Amino acid sequence: MIRRQIRAIWPDSHDMRVLGLGFATPYLRPFRDETERVVAVMPSSQGVLPWPPEGPGLVCLADEAELPLADRSIDRVLLVHALESTEQVRGTLREIWRVLTDSGRLLVITPNRRGIWARLDNTPFGQGRPYTPSQLSKLLRENMYTPLQTASALFMPPFHSRFILRSAPAWEQVGERWFPTFAGVLMVEAAKQIYAGSTLREQARKKRSYLPMPQGFRKIGPV
């Protein structure tokens, strides 16, 4: 259901560079065949999983406020399972602003504070800080973005019933038309305000480095 809304917002990504930040890999596969490049970055606090299962890896582990990407190098950023859990909300949004091209777009997907998915701990969107549409729009404006459009998804209740899963498209149609306030997730597309700031940092920040270990990745401090 979420992937359908993403494709409705971004129907054409030909020759673009797409970044998935957070746990965005389940939604990136449709872009692989049409974009110039697709990469995924998973926050260091979250851990990293290999993706895709076939072919060369396209995912890396990094601090969400220090992305290993050049200025103005990305056309589209998909932010999923990240904003609600990061301790560096403003730093993350400013870093995304830095790597976006001047005509770039950011699509934020977060739990809806009024939805049932945010109220149950056993759902993917039941962790971290949920948002209302006004809270999310205000946060984006405060960090040099202009919200362009808002969408929502996951009107079906978070149960594993076969009947509910089979009837998911009907839940989405009814929810979008009559109960948009109670969607499970919010989706806001935003444009970069190129006049609102500069990509130059006032002072150089120390970069973290990560050492691969047999049991995973271990942070070894600033260098």
Side-chain angles (χ1 to χ4, degrees):
M1 299 298 102
I2 295 174
R3 185 183 299 157
R4 179 177 64 87
Q5 287 286 26
I6 293 173
R7 295 301 286 172
I9 296 172
W10 290 345
D12 183 13
S13 60
H14 282 86
D15 301 323
M16 293 184 181
R17 289 158 291 182
V18 177
L19 167 66
L21 181 56
F23 191 69
T25 51
Y27 311 104
L28 293 178
R29 184 170 293 277
F31 295 104
R32 291 186 62 197
D33 296 332
E34 63 183 40
T35 56
E36 175 188 326
R37 183 171 301 173
V38 174
V39 294
V41 174
M42 293 187 176
S44 55
S45 59
Q46 175 179 299
V48 65
L49 295 173
W51 182 83
E54 72 287 344
L58 298 174
V59 62
C60 72
L61 180 76
D63 190 302
E64 59 267 41
E66 294 180 356
L67 299 177
L69 299 166
D71 294 354
R72 301 184 179 93
S73 60
I74 300 295
D75 300 295
R76 297 288 186 270
V77 175
L78 182 62
L79 189 63
V80 189
H81 292 303
L83 197 62
E84 65 269 25
S85 58
T86 182
E87 296 180 358
Q88 309 177 79
V89 174
R90 296 185 184 278
T92 299
L93 291 174
R94 296 298 176 90
E95 187 69 350
I96 293 172
W97 188 96
R98 179 185 67 81
V99 303
L100 273 175
T101 61
D102 291 345
S103 59
R105 295 290 186 271
L106 166 65
L107 182 56
V108 183
I109 301 177
T110 67
N112 179 14
R113 183 177 295 276
R114 298 189 180 101
I116 188 174
W117 285 75
R119 301 174 186 273
L120 300 178
D121 293 338
N122 62 343
T123 74
F125 293 97
Q127 311 297 323
R129 300 178 300 275
Y131 290 85
T132 64
S134 59
Q135 289 172 338
L136 191 53
S137 295
K138 180 182 179 181
L139 179 64
L140 290 169
R141 288 192 176 94
E142 290 176 346
N143 288 276
M144 304 184 295
Y145 296 91
T146 300
L148 300 177
Q149 59 176 312
T150 302
S152 52
L154 293 186
F155 293 92
M156 55 180 284
F159 303 132
H160 294 288
S161 165
R162 291 185 179 181
F163 171 77
I164 291 178
L165 292 176
R166 285 196 300 266
S167 60
W171 282 93
E172 296 299 301
Q173 292 178 5
V174 173
E176 286 181 30
R177 183 170 182 178
W178 299 106
F179 307 103
T181 303
F182 302 105
V185 299
L186 300 175
M187 309 172 70
V188 177
E189 184 191 26
K192 175 180 179 178
Q193 292 181 5
I194 60 176
Y195 57 84
S198 170
T199 59
L200 297 176
R201 295 171 179 170
E202 295 181 0
Q203 58 182 6
R205 293 185 297 175
K206 292 181 178 180
K207 299 290 186 178
R208 294 182 176 89
S209 61
Y210 296 88
L211 178 66
M213 301 295 290
Q215 299 301 319
F217 287 87
R218 179 165 65 94
K219 188 184 299 184
I220 64 174
V223 295

Short mmCIF file of all heavy atoms in Angstrom, two decimals, residues 6-31:
data_model
loop_
_atom_site.label_atom_id
_atom_site.label_comp_id
_atom_site.label_asym_id
_atom_site.label_seq_id
_atom_site.Cartn_x
_atom_site.Cartn_y
_atom_site.Cartn_z
N ILE A 6 3.86 5.75 -3.09
CA ILE A 6 5.15 6.31 -3.52
C ILE A 6 5.20 6.46 -5.03
O ILE A 6 5.63 7.49 -5.56
CB ILE A 6 6.31 5.42 -3.02
CG1 ILE A 6 6.41 5.47 -1.50
CG2 ILE A 6 7.64 5.86 -3.66
CD1 ILE A 6 7.42 4.48 -0.93
N ARG A 7 4.74 5.44 -5.73
CA ARG A 7 4.76 5.49 -7.19
C ARG A 7 3.77 6.51 -7.74
O ARG A 7 3.97 7.08 -8.81
CB ARG A 7 4.48 4.11 -7.77
CG ARG A 7 5.55 3.09 -7.46
CD ARG A 7 6.90 3.53 -7.99
NE ARG A 7 7.00 3.38 -9.42
CZ ARG A 7 7.99 3.81 -10.16
NH1 ARG A 7 8.99 4.46 -9.61
NH2 ARG A 7 8.01 3.62 -11.47
N ALA A 8 2.70 6.76 -7.00
CA ALA A 8 1.74 7.79 -7.43
C ALA A 8 2.36 9.18 -7.30
O ALA A 8 2.11 10.07 -8.11
CB ALA A 8 0.46 7.69 -6.61
N ILE A 9 3.19 9.38 -6.27
CA ILE A 9 3.84 10.67 -6.06
C ILE A 9 5.02 10.84 -7.00
O ILE A 9 5.26 11.93 -7.55
CB ILE A 9 4.28 10.80 -4.59
CG1 ILE A 9 3.05 10.81 -3.68
CG2 ILE A 9 5.10 12.08 -4.38
CD1 ILE A 9 3.40 10.74 -2.19
N TRP A 10 5.79 9.76 -7.20
CA TRP A 10 6.95 9.79 -8.10
C TRP A 10 6.74 8.78 -9.23
O TRP A 10 7.34 7.70 -9.24
CB TRP A 10 8.22 9.44 -7.34
CG TRP A 10 8.67 10.48 -6.37
CD1 TRP A 10 8.26 11.77 -6.30
CD2 TRP A 10 9.64 10.31 -5.33
NE1 TRP A 10 8.90 12.42 -5.28
CE2 TRP A 10 9.76 11.57 -4.67
CE3 TRP A 10 10.42 9.24 -4.89
CZ2 TRP A 10 10.62 11.76 -3.59
CZ3 TRP A 10 11.27 9.43 -3.82
CH2 TRP A 10 11.37 10.67 -3.19
N PRO A 11 5.90 9.10 -10.21
CA PRO A 11 5.61 8.13 -11.28
C PRO A 11 6.76 7.94 -12.26
O PRO A 11 6.83 6.91 -12.94
CB PRO A 11 4.39 8.74 -11.97
CG PRO A 11 4.52 10.21 -11.73
CD PRO A 11 5.11 10.34 -10.35
N ASP A 12 7.66 8.90 -12.35
CA ASP A 12 8.74 8.82 -13.32
C ASP A 12 10.06 9.24 -12.67
O ASP A 12 10.20 10.36 -12.19
CB ASP A 12 8.45 9.73 -14.51
CG ASP A 12 9.51 9.63 -15.60
OD1 ASP A 12 10.33 8.69 -15.54
OD2 ASP A 12 9.52 10.48 -16.50
N SER A 13 11.01 8.33 -12.63
CA SER A 13 12.32 8.63 -12.05
C SER A 13 13.45 8.28 -13.02
O SER A 13 14.56 7.99 -12.59
CB SER A 13 12.50 7.87 -10.73
OG SER A 13 12.41 6.47 -10.94
N HIS A 14 13.15 8.32 -14.30
CA HIS A 14 14.16 7.98 -15.30
C HIS A 14 15.37 8.91 -15.21
O HIS A 14 15.21 10.13 -15.07
CB HIS A 14 13.56 8.03 -16.71
CG HIS A 14 12.73 6.84 -17.04
ND1 HIS A 14 11.39 6.75 -16.71
CD2 HIS A 14 13.05 5.67 -17.64
CE1 HIS A 14 10.91 5.59 -17.12
NE2 HIS A 14 11.89 4.91 -17.68
N ASP A 15 16.54 8.31 -15.29
CA ASP A 15 17.81 9.04 -15.29
C ASP A 15 18.04 9.85 -14.02
O ASP A 15 18.81 10.82 -14.03
CB ASP A 15 17.90 9.96 -16.52
CG ASP A 15 17.78 9.18 -17.82
OD1 ASP A 15 18.32 8.07 -17.88
OD2 ASP A 15 17.14 9.69 -18.75
N MET A 16 17.39 9.48 -12.94
CA MET A 16 17.59 10.17 -11.66
C MET A 16 18.42 9.31 -10.72
O MET A 16 18.56 8.09 -10.92
CB MET A 16 16.25 10.49 -10.99
CG MET A 16 15.42 11.51 -11.72
SD MET A 16 13.91 11.92 -10.80
CE MET A 16 13.16 13.10 -11.91
N ARG A 17 18.97 9.95 -9.70
CA ARG A 17 19.70 9.25 -8.64
C ARG A 17 18.84 9.27 -7.38
O ARG A 17 18.50 10.34 -6.88
CB ARG A 17 21.04 9.94 -8.39
CG ARG A 17 22.05 9.72 -9.53
CD ARG A 17 23.11 10.78 -9.55
NE ARG A 17 22.54 12.08 -9.94
CZ ARG A 17 23.26 13.19 -10.08
NH1 ARG A 17 24.56 13.16 -9.86
NH2 ARG A 17 22.68 14.31 -10.43
N VAL A 18 18.50 8.08 -6.90
CA VAL A 18 17.55 7.92 -5.79
C VAL A 18 18.28 7.36 -4.58
O VAL A 18 19.02 6.37 -4.68
CB VAL A 18 16.38 7.00 -6.19
CG1 VAL A 18 15.44 6.78 -4.99
CG2 VAL A 18 15.61 7.59 -7.36
N LEU A 19 18.06 8.00 -3.43
CA LEU A 19 18.63 7.54 -2.16
C LEU A 19 17.51 7.13 -1.22
O LEU A 19 16.55 7.87 -1.02
CB LEU A 19 19.44 8.68 -1.52
CG LEU A 19 19.85 8.49 -0.05
CD1 LEU A 19 20.84 7.35 0.10
CD2 LEU A 19 20.43 9.79 0.52
N GLY A 20 17.64 5.96 -0.63
CA GLY A 20 16.75 5.52 0.43
C GLY A 20 17.47 5.62 1.76
O GLY A 20 18.55 5.05 1.92
N LEU A 21 16.91 6.36 2.70
CA LEU A 21 17.56 6.57 4.00
C LEU A 21 16.65 6.02 5.10
O LEU A 21 15.46 6.30 5.14
CB LEU A 21 17.81 8.07 4.23
CG LEU A 21 18.50 8.48 5.54
CD1 LEU A 21 19.84 7.76 5.69
CD2 LEU A 21 18.69 9.99 5.58
N GLY A 22 17.26 5.26 6.01
CA GLY A 22 16.48 4.57 7.04
C GLY A 22 16.34 3.11 6.64
O GLY A 22 17.29 2.47 6.20
N PHE A 23 15.14 2.56 6.77
CA PHE A 23 14.88 1.21 6.27
C PHE A 23 13.97 1.34 5.06
O PHE A 23 12.77 1.06 5.09
CB PHE A 23 14.23 0.35 7.35
CG PHE A 23 14.17 -1.11 6.99
CD1 PHE A 23 15.33 -1.86 6.92
CD2 PHE A 23 12.97 -1.71 6.71
CE1 PHE A 23 15.28 -3.21 6.58
CE2 PHE A 23 12.90 -3.05 6.36
CZ PHE A 23 14.06 -3.80 6.31
N ALA A 24 14.55 1.79 3.96
CA ALA A 24 13.79 2.09 2.74
C ALA A 24 13.90 1.03 1.68
O ALA A 24 13.25 1.13 0.63
CB ALA A 24 14.25 3.43 2.18
N THR A 25 14.73 0.01 1.89
CA THR A 25 14.99 -0.96 0.82
C THR A 25 13.73 -1.69 0.30
O THR A 25 13.66 -1.98 -0.89
CB THR A 25 16.03 -2.00 1.28
OG1 THR A 25 15.64 -2.55 2.55
CG2 THR A 25 17.40 -1.34 1.42
N PRO A 26 12.70 -1.98 1.14
CA PRO A 26 11.52 -2.63 0.58
C PRO A 26 10.80 -1.79 -0.47
O PRO A 26 10.00 -2.34 -1.25
CB PRO A 26 10.63 -2.85 1.81
CG PRO A 26 11.56 -2.86 2.97
CD PRO A 26 12.62 -1.87 2.62
N TYR A 27 11.07 -0.49 -0.51
CA TYR A 27 10.36 0.40 -1.43
C TYR A 27 11.23 0.86 -2.60
O TYR A 27 10.76 1.61 -3.46
CB TYR A 27 9.85 1.62 -0.67
CG TYR A 27 9.13 1.26 0.60
CD1 TYR A 27 9.73 1.41 1.85
CD2 TYR A 27 7.84 0.71 0.57
CE1 TYR A 27 9.09 1.05 3.02
CE2 TYR A 27 7.19 0.35 1.73
CZ TYR A 27 7.82 0.52 2.95
OH TYR A 27 7.16 0.15 4.10
N LEU A 28 12.48 0.43 -2.65
CA LEU A 28 13.39 0.91 -3.68
C LEU A 28 13.44 0.04 -4.92
O LEU A 28 13.86 0.50 -5.98
CB LEU A 28 14.82 1.02 -3.11
CG LEU A 28 15.05 2.07 -2.03
CD1 LEU A 28 16.49 2.00 -1.54
CD2 LEU A 28 14.74 3.47 -2.56
N ARG A 29 13.02 -1.20 -4.81
CA ARG A 29 13.15 -2.11 -5.95
C ARG A 29 12.49 -1.60 -7.23
O ARG A 29 13.06 -1.72 -8.32
CB ARG A 29 12.61 -3.50 -5.58
CG ARG A 29 12.79 -4.54 -6.67
CD ARG A 29 12.47 -5.93 -6.18
NE ARG A 29 13.44 -6.37 -5.19
CZ ARG A 29 14.62 -6.92 -5.49
NH1 ARG A 29 14.97 -7.07 -6.76
NH2 ARG A 29 15.43 -7.31 -4.55
N PRO A 30 11.28 -1.01 -7.18
CA PRO A 30 10.67 -0.53 -8.42
C PRO A 30 11.50 0.53 -9.14
O PRO A 30 11.32 0.74 -10.34
CB PRO A 30 9.32 0.04 -7.96
CG PRO A 30 9.02 -0.67 -6.69
CD PRO A 30 10.36 -0.87 -6.03
N PHE A 31 12.40 1.21 -8.43
CA PHE A 31 13.19 2.26 -9.06
C PHE A 31 14.44 1.74 -9.74
O PHE A 31 15.06 2.45 -10.53
CB PHE A 31 13.61 3.30 -8.00
CG PHE A 31 12.48 4.05 -7.39
CD1 PHE A 31 12.03 3.76 -6.12
CD2 PHE A 31 11.85 5.07 -8.09
CE1 PHE A 31 10.97 4.46 -5.55
CE2 PHE A 31 10.80 5.78 -7.54
CZ PHE A 31 10.36 5.47 -6.26
#
